[in-house]
Each structure stands twice: as structure tokens, then as C-alpha cells.
Amino acid sequence: MAYEGQVSYASRDAHNHTLWLEGARISAQSWVHHETVYVFTDGGRDEITLIDIMAHVGEDTAAVGSLKSPMPGQVVAFKVAIGDTVKKGEPLAVIEAMKIEHTITAPTDGVVAELLFAPSDLVADGDELLRIDSEG
């Protein structure tokens, strides 16, 4: 459902809100579970999906221990060297795209096996940046 008009709101706490849609007052409750916000009102319920394009960078390559650039950009720095042991979530590389720096983190524990680019290299969307050998 799309709504076009004046909207304002006030939150009493993390879950209870009052909305004003074109002057009409609506009480609402919300809960967040992972990337979905569930909204409940007297008129029904709805779901809002939160989209964070950087939230899942590297997940599709976690099984093979590699990481790909999420977008075209330039390698600013590698935060690791070949042979370094890394833990899941640890910063590995920094890519700059459209004047914004994006930190690429380890999708799994492992050992850095190979750096496939150098700082200041240009990368395309999907270019593999480095390889991690998974421990175990």
C-alpha cells in the first residue's frame, strides 16, 4: 500500500507509537525481527523490510572463503596481510565508491591466503578481492 500525504509520528518507547496521517491519529505497535519490522494497528498489520545493501557483503562467498567487491570502486587499503589469522566480522579491506568508504569484513574465521589487488587498484562490481582459507 502506498501512502501520499502528510505523516508525522511520536514514539512512547521502542514498540509503541502514535502516527498522524493527514490529521487522523493512529496508535501502532512495532517489533523488529532480523530485517523485518512488523507494524500492528487497529486496522491490521503490515511488514516493512529493511534494506542494507552492505549487510550481506561476502555471505554468498563465505563457503569458498573469498570476498568480492560489492560495487565498482577503488581499493583504499587492506587491513590484513597474507598469512594473518582472521575472525568472522574482522575488517579485511576498505573500498571507496562514490566518495564513501566501505569496510569489507571476514565472513568466516580463517587464514588470509591471497590478496588479489593492491591499494589504489580499481575494482569492478563482483571482483574477488582476497581469499581466506577456512580453519577446520
Side-chain angles (χ1 to χ4, degrees):
M1 175 178 111
Y3 178 78
E4 295 181 24
Q6 181 67 32
V7 177
S8 59
Y9 73 95
S11 298
R12 291 186 295 274
D13 57 42
H15 302 289
N16 295 289
H17 318 280
T18 301
L19 306 171
W20 289 272
L21 306 175
E22 294 296 326
R25 182 175 186 229
I26 300 171
S27 294
Q29 292 183 318
S30 67
W31 283 269
V32 178
H33 182 68
H34 299 292
E35 296 175 337
T36 304
V37 179
Y38 298 93
V39 180
F40 301 88
T41 68
D42 289 339
R45 75 181 275 284
D46 210 342
E47 297 175 12
I48 301 168
T49 302
L50 305 174
I51 299 174
D52 179 355
I53 62 171
M54 297 303 293
H56 301 288
V57 169
E59 284 184 356
D60 62 335
T61 58
V64 295
S66 66
L67 287 158
K68 296 181 180 183
S69 179
M71 60 193 64
Q74 183 175 29
V75 177
V76 174
F78 282 101
K79 302 290 188 179
V80 294
I82 295 172
D84 285 357
T85 300
V86 296
K87 297 289 182 192
K88 182 177 181 176
E90 184 176 332
L92 301 175
V94 178
I95 303 295
E96 181 181 301
M98 299 175 2
K99 301 196 186 288
I100 298 173
E101 290 188 355
H102 303 279
T103 300
I104 308 303
T105 60
T108 185
D109 293 352
V111 176
V112 178
E114 188 176 7
L115 302 178
L116 301 171
F117 288 90
S120 78
D121 283 351
L122 297 177
V123 295
D125 182 16
D127 278 352
E128 190 172 11
L129 301 171
L130 62 131
R131 294 180 196 266
I132 296 176
D133 289 334
S134 297
E135 295 179 329

